[in-house]
Amino acid sequence: MEMSETPMGTVEIAPNVFWVGAKDPNRRLFDGLIPLPHGTSYNAYLIIGSEKTVLIDSVNPGFEDELVDKISQHADPGKIDYIVMNHAEPDHASALMHMLSLAKGAKLVTSAKGKEAAMMYFHVPEDRIMVVDEGSTINLGGKTLKFVDAPWLHWPETMFTYLQEDGVLFPCDFYGSHIAYGEFFADEFGEGHTLELAKLYFAEIMMPFRKPAMKAIEKTKQLNPKVIAPSHGVMYRRPELIVDAYTDWAGEKMRKKVLIAYVSMWGRTEHMVKALREALVHKGIETQVFDLTVTGIGEVAKQLIDSPVVVIGAPTVLGGVHPVAAYAALLTKTLRAPTKYAAVLSSHGWSGGAVRQLGEILGGTKIEMLGVVDAKGPASDDDISKVLQLADDIEKKLNELS
Ligand code: FEO
């Protein structure tokens, strides 16, 4: 399939199918939570059939004019017939009313839950909305849109749109990545580099929704698209790259790996972390250690995808857990990481509290606590013996998993 970038920055990804989105390299945070070291993009797509013209999703607030300029290179924005809303989150949907006001005859096409969201968030009049569900089609003239039910990726109303004749799948957030570089396709950007960033994105956005993700992956495999065109980051003209990766990540394909995330004030917790790391490495167990004071929380989230064991290292501060470690533990719970086992290494001076509070944070999960070492002051020989015992216990559990 031929794909080419036009002089004005749109990209033809199939005949009369154009990327008309916006790149946002300066954005550094998403949802007030997720770090974006490489910015992101809001990918919208224009499809021109012989009879009807469609816009697939839109852009983040502030990029409306850029979207309209790009559409105008290929079609009259006022003559758009359908605006598909695969997802109602504002980074894709907040420009919809702007587009509907330009294209006065256009219908907003979305799922039943998408209709509720469009009316609630964007005050789209009910008579401008056309509801579609699994298997619904729209004929554009030589091109057919087919809609795929794909809820909870990552809000309840999400769906995919598939352009049958050209084999292009538009899954909105799913299969996305936060990348705002010049390259548009994974093979241009570098597939290895793409997967690293896609994995980071999966951890932060899709990891809590692994079950609906697996259903959507199966549907993708049945469609067997030639191109996957998500609404963030690069597109895939070798779709199996991202589909296979998602199959591993959503399918909880674990490594024989231990993730240790720690913070240490005076090196006492760190001393136990180092002892545990050394023992695990000696046993040939992949061990990734992150000092939370210098590691972005996104990197920890990414490692949670395939780490069956997570060890939190944190001292007691003012009767509770060090807040930086509390954040890491809460993130593990919030992202519903597939963690099987956890352990805590801690130290305290005149009172404990870190271990109790970490237990409270991780409470209500299916994570089994393998062990706790809570040293009073610097770790004693007895404390280090407990750390070494913990390494043995971790090895045993990992062997049972494999
Ligand atoms: Fe890219 Fe869930 O919005």
Side-chain angles (χ1 to χ4, degrees), residues 30-31 40-42 87-93 153-155 157-158 172-174 178 201 205-206 231-232:
F30 205 89
D31 290 345
T40 192
S41 67
Y42 319 109
H87 179 22
E89 195 159 11
D91 50 326
H92 310 292
L153 304 170
H154 83 291
W155 281 9
E157 83 296 344
T158 49
C172 201
D173 275 349
F174 207 56
H178 287 308
Y201 176 101
I205 311 278
M206 295 296 165
S231 290
H232 291 291

Side-chain angles (χ1 to χ4, degrees), residues 63-76:
F63 292 87
E64 295 87 349
D65 291 346
E66 192 173 333
L67 174 67
V68 172
D69 283 351
K70 286 184 174 146
I71 292 170
S72 300
Q73 294 169 40
H74 306 286
D76 179 349

Side-chain angles (χ1 to χ4, degrees), residues 8 16 29 50 56 61 76 81 94 109 111 120 131 170 212 219 258 279 305 367 380:
M8 296 301 288
N16 284 324
L29 207 58
S50 63
I56 306 279
D76 179 349
D81 298 285
S94 61
V109 179
S111 65
M120 178 175 70
V131 171
F170 302 98
K219 289 184 179 182
V258 178
I305 292 175
I367 301 171
S380 64

Side-chain angles (χ1 to χ4, degrees), residues 175 177 186 194 198 226-228 230 234-239 241-242:
Y175 303 126
S177 51
T194 296
K226 294 176 188 161
V227 176
I228 290 180
V234 294
M235 295 171 270
Y236 296 85
R237 41 193 168 191
R238 202 171 71 77
L241 177 78
I242 191 66

